[in-house]
Amino acid sequence: KEGVLNICGNMANKLIFRQLFEMKSCTYTFLLACPITRKAIIIDPVIEMVERDSDIIRQLDLDLIYGANTHIHADHVTGTGELKRIFPKMKSVLSKFSEGKADVLLNDREMLKFGSENLEARTTPGHTNGCMTYISHAHRMAFTGDTLLIRGCGRTDFQQGNSKMLYKMIHEKILSLPDDFAIYPGHDYKGLTQSSVAEEKKFNPRLTRNLDEFIEIMKNLKLAYPAQIDKSLPANKVCGLYELMDEGTKAKVRPKGA
Amino acid sequence: KEGVLNICGNMANKLIFRQLFEMKSCTYTFLLACPITRKAIIIDPVIEMVERDSDIIRQLDLDLIYGANTHIHADHVTGTGELKRIFPKMKSVLSKFSEGKADVLLNDREMLKFGSENLEARTTPGHTNGCMTYISHAHRMAFTGDTLLIRGCGRTDFQQGNSKMLYKMIHEKILSLPDDFAIYPGHDYKGLTQSSVAEEKKFNPRLTRNLDEFIEIMKNLKLAYPAQIDKSLPANKVCGLYELMDEGTKAKVRPKGA
């Protein structure tokens, strides 16, 4: 019924699509659904926004079957655990290289099907070992998590960060897509909501440099330690599932009133 | 080249489209352009974000011909004036009922053409006298400014606010569009980026009530006085054009370093 992608007048072509923003960590969450079966996937939900997200899922009459994280986030706690309590059929999804627990552990190039729609999961390590980029070939979109940001990329100075690997993965597995593919990142700090492969190939101030220059840039970013990392990492390794956390993490993570 | 609306494989059908967010006032700015001629329109730019917006306009190789405001904003200063300095061909646009100065003063149902694309301007007073909703019939989108917000609507307690008029205008001129038209509001405070006519008809907690209940709700909102109103109103009445402001407004508005 809804969606941006509705100019063909062909219901079967319309993807139900919502981009959602969380202002504290500047995180984008994405909701995608098949318009025929209403089967849906949510990518990178944030724990503080679960009420908003579950309201939208219910109002759009969606059948949420996957809650996928692009990686083990260090800057916020995933909403996957709380969403699983509300939508018990939903399966948590992570890369098999993430060192995390999830109902579905994806390998490189595996497909996530939801109704007549699907996403290809490509492993794109470098920011973390378990980073995944989810690609809709039909709708020409790539959900890049923290691997490729708009005119930027994920930091590589902690959590198995590896600049050489990140550079290689972005070029081989994301910027090799056709120019018109839209890039939807996991964060943006300037209020930009999307980019494209063509733009990042031409204007990304880091990725347009050669590998040695890129490694040098990444070495000198001098970024602050993520404020929430000490609670986020242990919580996110179990997809935010309360019952799988140790006592210390439980006390830090549980939202008020839950 | 870019865009969300690119699933038909037909270049002529692709609208170049960007939704941009300003975090302090939670304002959405929209950039739309014709993919053939590159002629572009920007809706509701924010003065603090002019550098970001002009970068994107240049990088996407767009020919900016209109800078339109949905109304005389009270919560932020428009970026239209600064954009006109950078893109001198750009014409400022307002409703003729706004009591503001602009290069183009639109009447109800007038069309704004940019290349092979166009927007229909519908007067939708109620939040302010000069409120306009811009509609793309081809791409099934409505840019509603502060008239209709996601699960909400603009306040009616100052600046010629009129609850009865707002209710009538939203129902007659926006919610009368087909159900699948996307609603893009001027603000959102929860990180929602879009809605649809169907959703607002079904779930808007104010607009689903009858007129008397609506008036009662609007009377009892108890909202704070907008923080920036004293500089925003005089600046926005001249579309943020520095040379048309009085001295007091000039001193308040000019961004650092300009």
Side-chain angles (χ1 to χ4, degrees):
Chain A
K1 236 179 281 175
E2 284 71 30
V4 233
L5 302 168
N6 51 11
I7 57 168
C8 301
N10 177 354
M11 274 303 284
N13 254 337
K14 288 190 210 174
L15 175 71
I16 296 167
F17 175 63
R18 291 298 162 95
Q19 181 167 14
L20 304 157
F21 188 60
E22 192 280 314
M23 296 193 206
K24 202 172 123 199
S25 61
C26 290
T27 300
Y28 284 120
T29 295
F30 299 95
L31 181 64
L32 292 86
C34 163
I36 302 160
T37 62
R38 314 300 288 180
K39 294 204 184 299
I41 178 170
I42 194 163
I43 300 174
D44 289 341
V46 175
I47 193 163
E48 286 88 354
M49 305 312 281
V50 162
E51 191 180 333
R52 174 198 67 184
D53 298 351
S54 54
D55 280 351
I56 285 285
I57 291 164
R58 280 199 207 93
Q59 291 177 347
L60 297 184
D61 191 26
L62 302 181
D63 179 16
L64 186 66
I65 60 167
Y66 290 122
N69 285 286
T70 52
H71 66 295
I72 306 283
H73 312 283
D75 46 1
H76 69 269
V77 175
T78 176
T80 321
E82 292 297 312
L83 284 169
K84 243 179 114 77
R85 296 206 304 155
I86 301 168
F87 304 101
K89 276 199 295 176
M90 189 196 84
K91 286 185 170 143
S92 57
V93 180
L94 275 177
S95 162
K96 64 177 284 200
F97 305 102
S98 66
E99 293 167 39
K101 283 186 190 171
D103 299 321
V104 178
L105 290 171
L106 291 172
N107 211 332
D108 190 32
R109 312 278 168 164
E110 240 181 283
M111 301 299 279
L112 268 180
K113 256 183 74 83
F114 48 108
S116 60
E117 298 287 340
N118 63 59
L119 289 173
E120 183 200 351
R122 292 190 182 176
T123 53
T124 48
H127 171 64
T128 75
N129 278 347
C131 280
M132 278 285 191
T133 291
Y134 296 102
I135 297 167
S136 164
H137 291 277
H139 302 288
R140 307 181 85 76
M141 298 163 146
F143 301 91
T144 56
D146 289 9
T147 298
L148 178 58
L149 303 175
I150 299 176
R151 313 293 189 264
C153 64
R155 64 197 288 179
T156 53
D157 57 333
F158 66 101
Q159 250 191 310
Q160 320 109 8
N162 182 326
S163 299
K164 190 175 166 184
M165 180 70 87
L166 185 71
Y167 188 89
K168 186 176 142 83
M169 287 296 118
I170 291 175
H171 282 283
E172 282 181 10
K173 292 185 166 176
I174 303 174
L175 298 183
S176 59
L177 290 165
D179 272 1
D180 68 320
F181 268 55
I183 302 291
Y184 288 98
H187 301 283
D188 192 81
Y189 306 96
K190 289 169 106 179
L192 295 166
T193 54
Q194 62 168 294
S195 181
S196 67
V197 168
E199 270 170 79
E200 295 310 317
K201 274 177 10 188
K202 205 164 166 186
F203 299 115
N204 191 300
R206 299 179 189 172
L207 277 312
T208 47
R209 314 293 279 272
N210 70 37
L211 176 61
D212 290 338
E213 289 168 341
F214 178 78
I215 290 170
E216 208 46 40
I217 291 169
M218 297 308 287
K219 215 180 273 172
N220 294 302
L221 292 179
K222 299 194 174 73
L223 298 166
Y225 193 70
Q228 295 204 62
I229 190 168
D230 297 323
K231 76 168 178 185
S232 296
L233 286 193
N236 292 333
K237 275 190 181 156
V238 293
C239 290
L241 283 161
Y242 192 67
E243 37 309 350
L244 300 181
M245 293 175 201
D246 62 50
E247 293 306 316
T249 308
K250 276 184 190 177
K252 285 181 207 159
V253 164
R254 197 71 158 188
K256 269 189 300 238
Chain B
K1 236 180 282 175
E2 285 70 33
V4 232
L5 302 168
N6 52 10
I7 56 168
C8 300
N10 176 356
M11 273 301 285
N13 254 336
K14 289 189 207 174
L15 176 71
I16 296 166
F17 175 64
R18 292 300 162 92
Q19 181 167 16
L20 305 157
F21 188 60
E22 192 280 315
M23 297 193 204
K24 203 172 122 201
S25 61
C26 290
T27 300
Y28 284 120
T29 296
F30 299 95
L31 182 64
L32 292 86
C34 163
I36 303 161
T37 62
R38 315 300 288 179
K39 294 203 185 299
I41 179 170
I42 193 163
I43 300 173
D44 289 341
V46 176
I47 193 164
E48 287 87 354
M49 306 313 279
V50 163
E51 191 180 332
R52 174 198 68 185
D53 298 351
S54 54
D55 280 351
I56 286 284
I57 291 164
R58 279 200 209 93
Q59 291 177 347
L60 297 185
D61 191 25
L62 302 180
D63 178 15
L64 186 65
I65 60 167
Y66 291 121
N69 285 285
T70 53
H71 65 297
I72 307 282
H73 311 285
D75 47 359
H76 70 268
V77 175
T78 176
T80 320
E82 292 298 311
L83 285 170
K84 242 178 115 75
R85 296 205 306 154
I86 301 169
F87 304 101
K89 277 200 293 177
M90 189 196 84
K91 287 185 171 141
S92 57
V93 180
L94 276 177
S95 162
K96 64 178 284 195
F97 305 102
S98 66
E99 293 168 39
K101 285 186 189 169
D103 299 321
V104 178
L105 291 172
L106 291 172
N107 212 333
D108 190 32
R109 311 278 168 167
E110 242 182 282
M111 302 299 279
L112 267 180
K113 256 184 74 81
F114 48 107
S116 61
E117 297 288 339
N118 62 59
L119 290 173
E120 183 200 352
R122 292 189 182 177
T123 53
T124 48
H127 172 62
T128 75
N129 278 347
C131 280
M132 278 284 191
T133 291
Y134 296 102
I135 298 168
S136 164
H137 291 278
H139 302 288
R140 307 181 84 77
M141 299 163 146
F143 301 92
T144 56
D146 289 11
T147 299
L148 178 59
L149 303 174
I150 299 175
R151 313 294 189 263
C153 63
R155 63 197 291 179
T156 52
D157 57 336
F158 67 101
Q159 254 192 307
Q160 319 109 9
N162 181 326
S163 298
K164 190 174 167 186
M165 179 70 85
L166 185 72
Y167 188 89
K168 186 177 143 81
M169 288 296 118
I170 292 175
H171 281 284
E172 282 181 11
K173 291 185 165 175
I174 303 174
L175 297 183
S176 59
L177 290 166
D179 273 1
D180 68 321
F181 267 55
I183 301 291
Y184 288 99
H187 301 283
D188 193 80
Y189 306 95
K190 289 168 106 179
L192 296 165
T193 55
Q194 63 168 295
S195 181
S196 67
V197 168
E199 271 171 78
E200 295 310 317
K201 277 181 1 192
K202 204 162 167 188
F203 300 115
N204 190 300
R206 299 180 188 171
L207 277 312
T208 47
R209 315 293 278 273
N210 70 36
L211 175 61
D212 289 338
E213 289 169 339
F214 178 78
I215 291 171
E216 210 42 43
I217 291 170
M218 297 308 286
K219 214 181 276 172
N220 295 302
L221 291 179
K222 299 195 175 72
L223 297 166
Y225 192 70
Q228 294 205 61
I229 191 169
D230 298 321
K231 77 168 177 185
S232 296
L233 287 193
N236 291 333
K237 275 190 182 158
V238 293
C239 288
L241 283 162
Y242 191 66
E243 36 311 347
L244 300 181
M245 293 175 200
D246 63 50
E247 293 306 316
T249 308
K250 277 183 188 175
K252 286 181 205 156
V253 163
R254 196 72 159 187
K256 269 191 298 239

